[in-house]
Amino acid sequence: MQTAADAGDAATLLAAVPAGRRVALVDPRFVGHVHALRLGLTDPRFPAATVPGALTAQPEARGALLRALDRTAAAVGAGAPVVEPDADPAPEDRTVPGRIAVALEAEGTAVQRPALGSLVAAVPTDPEQEAAAVAGLTSVDDEAVRLRNAVKAHDGFFTTYCISPYSRYIARWCARRDLTPNQVTTASLITALIAAGAAATGTRGGYVAAGILLLVSFVLDCTDGQLARYSLRYSTMGAWLDATFDRAKEYAYYAGLAIGAVRGGDDVWVLALGAMVLQACRHVVDFSFNEANHDAVANTSPTAALSDKLDNVGWTVWVRRMIVLPIGERWAMIAVLTALTTPRIVFYALLVGCFLAACYTTAGRLLRSLTRRASRTDRAARALADLADSGPLAQGVATVAPGLRGAFTAPAVALLGTLVMIGGALLLPYGSWLTVAAAAVYVLLSGLAVARPLKGALDWLVPPFFRAAEYVTILVLAARSDVPHAVPAAFGLVSAVAYHHYDTVYRIRGGTGAPPQWLVRTIGGHEGRTALVAVLAAVLTHTSGFTTALTALAVAVALVVLVESIRFWVSSSAPAVHDEGELA
C-alpha cells in the first residue's frame, strides 16, 4: 500500500506496479465496512469495479485507468473539471476514484458497481457526514451481511429453508481454513459418486446410505457457491465445474440406482434413461427460450406481466418455484424415496414430477411467446442455430434447400421430423430399413427447419425437438433391441451427447459462442448420430454387436467432446461465467 499526493503521483505509482497485477485507488478519507471494500476491490469477475471512495482495475483495465489518471492530472492542472457536469452517467461519487470510474466508462471500460445494501462506504467531507457514516458503520453487523449475501438471492424452497440456514456457516468454516470453492465442488462430486456406489449395492442398507450421502452432496453443492460469494473467490473453472458436476452427479446416481435394481432382480435401465432424457429435454426448453428472448427488442408480454405480479405475492413465488421441481426439491425427493422405497418407484416419481414440471414451464413459455411483441436479434438466431447442433448432413440440406417461409414453419417442420423419427423407431418393425428411411426423412426435415434464421416467435422450440428426436430414438431402439446391456450402452451415449449440449449452452451463455464447427462435424450433429444409430440397429439386428457399437460410439463422442471442452475451459479465452447457477 502506498500513499499518493495527487492524481499525477498516483499515476506514477501505478505505472511502477507489475503489469499482471490488480491495482486499487482508495480515498484516504474512506469510512466503511470491510466487506464493502471486498465487494468493490476483490471480485475477480469484472475488469473494473468501484464503491464510493474506492476503485479497482484488473490487468486488462490498467491501461485505461492510467490514461484516465493522466487526463485527471492534466484537467486539475488546467483548472478544468475532471468529468463534464453533464456527463452521462453523472458521477454520484465526487471523489477522485469515483470521477475516474466515470472517465473509464466514458472510454468504454465497463465498471461494476456492486449493490451494498446496508453496508457503509462513504467519503465524508464534514463532521456531520463523518458522524453519520460512523453511526451506520457501528449499527450494521458486517459479518452478518456477508453471511446473508453468501446465499443466492433466488433459490428453491427446500434449498432456502432446509439447506442455506446452516450451509452458509459451513461455507464460512471452509473460508477460514482457506478451502477453495473448487475443492468443495469436487468433494460434492466424490460424495455423490459414493452415493451412487452405495445405491448400486442393491441392498436396503445401501439405499439408505445412498439417500443420506446424496443429501450431503447437495449440501456441499450449495456450500461451494456460498463459499465463492462469501470469499469472492469466483473463477471460470469453478463455474464450469459446478455446472458440469451437477449433471455428472445426477446421471451417475441414476446409473447407480439402475445397477442396484438389476442386482435385486428388477431391470429399470429404460426408466433411468427416460428420466435423463426428460430432464435434458426440459432443460433445453429453458435454455432455448432464454437465449431467444433475453435480448429481444420491444420484449413485452401480458403473460410475463402477470408472472411478474405473481412474483410479488409471497406464497405464489414458492409454489411456482416448487412446481418446476428444481434441483433441491428433486434431489430431496430422490434421496427420501431411495431410502424408503425401490429404484423403480424413484424413477416413476421422477418421470411424473419432471413431466408435470416440463408441461408447466413449457406452457408458460408458449403463452409468453404467442403474446409477446418482440423482434428477435441476429445474436438470438445464431444462438438457436448453435443449440440446434446441426451436423454436416442437415447443414448440406440447408445450404441447397430454399428457406421455408412462415411464422411457425421452422418449429412445425422440426416437430414433423421428430414425429417421423420417433414414430419410425417405435412403430416400425425393429431392424427394418424403413427406420433408416425415416432417419433420412428426419435429416431432410432437420435441414429445412434451419434453412432460414430462427427468428420466429416459436423458433426456440427447434432445439428441444431435435434433442427429443435424438435422445428418444436412441432410447427406443436400444430398448427394442432385446440385446443384453444395450440400454446401459445407450445411457452412456446419451450422457456423452448431453454433455456436449450442456457445454454448448454454457459457452453461449458466457459470450464466447458455441463449440467449433470441426467438433460438431466430427461427432456428426444430432441428425448424423440419429441416422447412424438407426443404421446400426438395422445392420446389427438382435446381435451383441449393437451393444458394442453403441458403447464404441459413446466412448468416441465422450473422448472428442471432453478433450476439446477441457482444453477450452482451462484456456484464457474461457468466459467469466457468473456464479448464479440454475434452479433446475
Side-chain angles (χ1 to χ4, degrees), residues 183-253:
Q183 290 172 331
V184 178
T185 302
T186 303
S188 175
L189 173 66
I190 292 172
T191 304
L193 293 178
I194 296 173
T201 63
T203 64
R204 177 52 53 195
Y207 290 149
V208 172
I212 294 172
L213 287 170
L214 188 64
L215 289 177
V216 172
S217 175
F218 182 66
V219 171
L220 293 174
D221 186 51
C222 296
T223 300
D224 62 2
Q226 292 166 358
L227 174 58
R229 286 182 285 272
Y230 180 86
S231 58
L232 298 178
R233 298 180 70 169
Y234 301 102
S235 69
T236 298
M237 176 65 73
W240 174 65
L241 288 178
D242 188 52
T244 302
F245 284 2
D246 277 350
R247 303 285 79 80
K249 288 181 287 189
E250 193 159 11
Y251 296 165
Y253 194 81

Side-chain angles (χ1 to χ4, degrees), residues 366-580:
L366 285 170
L367 285 174
R368 291 188 185 204
S369 299
L370 292 173
T371 60
R372 174 171 283 157
R373 296 179 180 178
S375 299
R376 274 71 184 183
T377 63
D378 291 338
R379 180 212 169 276
R382 179 69 260 168
L384 290 180
D386 290 333
L387 289 173
D389 191 34
S390 299
L393 297 178
Q395 289 177 358
V397 172
T399 301
V400 300
L404 301 177
R405 298 185 179 276
F408 306 115
T409 301
V413 171
L415 175 60
L416 178 60
T418 298
L419 294 176
V420 168
M421 188 66 255
I422 295 177
L426 190 63
L427 302 176
L428 292 173
Y430 178 78
S432 168
W433 284 94
L434 290 175
T435 305
V436 178
V441 174
Y442 174 66
V443 170
L444 175 64
L445 293 176
S446 297
L448 291 174
V450 297
R452 292 177 61 84
L454 298 175
K455 291 186 175 183
L458 297 180
D459 284 1
W460 56 270
L461 286 169
V462 171
F465 286 148
F466 289 164
R467 293 298 81 75
E470 180 179 5
Y471 297 168
V472 175
T473 296
I474 295 172
L475 166 62
V476 170
L477 291 179
R480 295 187 67 197
S481 68
D482 291 329
V483 176
H485 310 303
V487 179
F491 187 97
L493 175 57
V494 173
S495 298
V497 174
Y499 174 85
H500 164 62
H501 290 145
Y502 279 108
D503 187 50
T504 301
V505 167
Y506 297 129
R507 294 199 200 194
I508 294 173
R509 181 175 293 174
T512 59
Q517 275 299 303
W518 70 260
L519 175 68
V520 177
R521 289 194 296 268
T522 299
I523 61 176
H526 71 92
E527 80 291 350
R529 292 186 298 269
T530 305
L532 177 58
V533 172
V535 171
L536 291 174
V539 173
L540 304 171
T541 305
H542 301 304
T543 70
S544 60
F546 185 56
T547 297
T548 303
L550 288 180
T551 303
L553 181 59
V555 171
V557 171
L559 283 176
V560 173
V561 168
L562 282 173
V563 168
E564 200 286 327
S565 177
I566 293 171
R567 180 212 60 78
F568 170 80
W569 285 99
V570 300
S571 70
S572 59
S573 60
V577 182
H578 293 192
D579 180 57
E580 289 305 321

Side-chain angles (χ1 to χ4, degrees), residues 292-300 372-377:
N293 291 284
H294 87 279
D295 61 350
V297 179
N299 198 356
T300 60
R372 174 171 283 157
R373 296 179 180 178
S375 299
R376 274 71 184 183
T377 63

Side-chain angles (χ1 to χ4, degrees), residues 41-376:
L41 303 183
T42 66
D43 195 324
R45 297 174 295 174
F46 310 103
T50 186
V51 294
L55 170 71
T56 186
Q58 296 269 40
E60 60 266 33
R62 284 274 301 276
L65 174 61
L66 288 173
R67 290 191 295 273
L69 276 168
D70 289 338
R71 289 197 305 274
T72 299
V76 171
V82 176
V83 180
E84 294 299 325
D86 58 350
D88 186 20
E92 297 181 4
D93 180 3
R94 309 296 294 186
T95 64
V96 171
R99 291 170 182 266
I100 293 175
V102 176
L104 284 173
E105 290 177 317
E107 187 177 316
T109 300
V111 180
Q112 169 70 6
R113 289 176 168 81
L116 299 180
S118 58
L119 295 175
V120 173
V123 179
T125 57
D126 57 49
E128 183 178 346
Q129 291 181 2
E130 183 175 4
V134 171
L137 192 64
T138 56
S139 65
V140 175
D141 185 343
D142 177 83
E143 179 62 16
V145 173
R146 188 182 182 190
L147 270 174
R148 186 168 61 250
N149 290 344
V151 177
K152 192 160 57 179
H154 303 288
D155 229 328
F157 181 88
F158 178 77
T159 303
T160 299
Y161 290 104
C162 300
I163 304 296
S164 293
Y166 57 87
S167 61
R168 69 184 75 181
Y169 295 101
I170 300 175
R172 182 172 66 180
W173 182 90
C174 293
R176 290 176 176 176
R177 284 151 184 82
D178 203 31
L179 296 176
T180 68
N182 290 355
Q183 290 172 331
V184 178
T185 302
T186 303
S188 175
L189 173 66
I190 292 172
T191 304
L193 293 178
I194 296 173
T201 63
T203 64
R204 177 52 53 195
Y207 290 149
V208 172
I212 294 172
L213 287 170
L214 188 64
L215 289 177
V216 172
S217 175
F218 182 66
V219 171
L220 293 174
D221 186 51
C222 296
T223 300
D224 62 2
Q226 292 166 358
L227 174 58
R229 286 182 285 272
Y230 180 86
S231 58
L232 298 178
R233 298 180 70 169
Y234 301 102
S235 69
T236 298
M237 176 65 73
W240 174 65
L241 288 178
D242 188 52
T244 302
F245 284 2
D246 277 350
R247 303 285 79 80
K249 288 181 287 189
E250 193 159 11
Y251 296 165
Y253 194 81
Y254 291 177
L257 281 176
I259 293 171
V262 170
R263 288 187 170 181
D266 187 14
D267 190 342
V268 296
W269 273 109
V270 170
L271 297 178
L273 181 51
M276 183 171 71
V277 167
L278 181 56
Q279 187 65 15
C281 291
R282 174 189 164 200
H283 276 155
V284 78
V285 167
D286 297 339
F287 296 145
S288 295
F289 176 83
N290 291 335
E291 289 301 327
N293 291 284
H294 87 279
D295 61 350
V297 179
N299 198 356
T300 60
S301 165
T303 307
L306 175 60
S307 177
D308 292 339
K309 289 182 180 179
L310 290 176
D311 280 342
N312 292 323
V313 181
W315 66 272
T316 65
V317 174
W318 296 118
V319 169
R320 280 149 52 85
R321 290 185 188 177
M322 293 174 70
I323 287 175
V324 301
L325 200 63
I327 189 169
E329 276 76 356
R330 191 167 69 251
W331 281 28
M333 180 185 73
I334 293 172
V336 171
L337 291 179
T338 298
L340 300 180
T341 63
T342 65
R344 180 172 290 274
I345 293 177
V346 173
F347 286 123
Y348 281 154
L350 260 177
L351 288 167
V352 171
C354 288
F355 176 76
L356 294 176
C359 289
Y360 170 77
T361 55
T362 304
R365 281 155 174 68
L366 285 170
L367 285 174
R368 291 188 185 204
S369 299
L370 292 173
T371 60
R372 174 171 283 157
R373 296 179 180 178
S375 299
R376 274 71 184 183

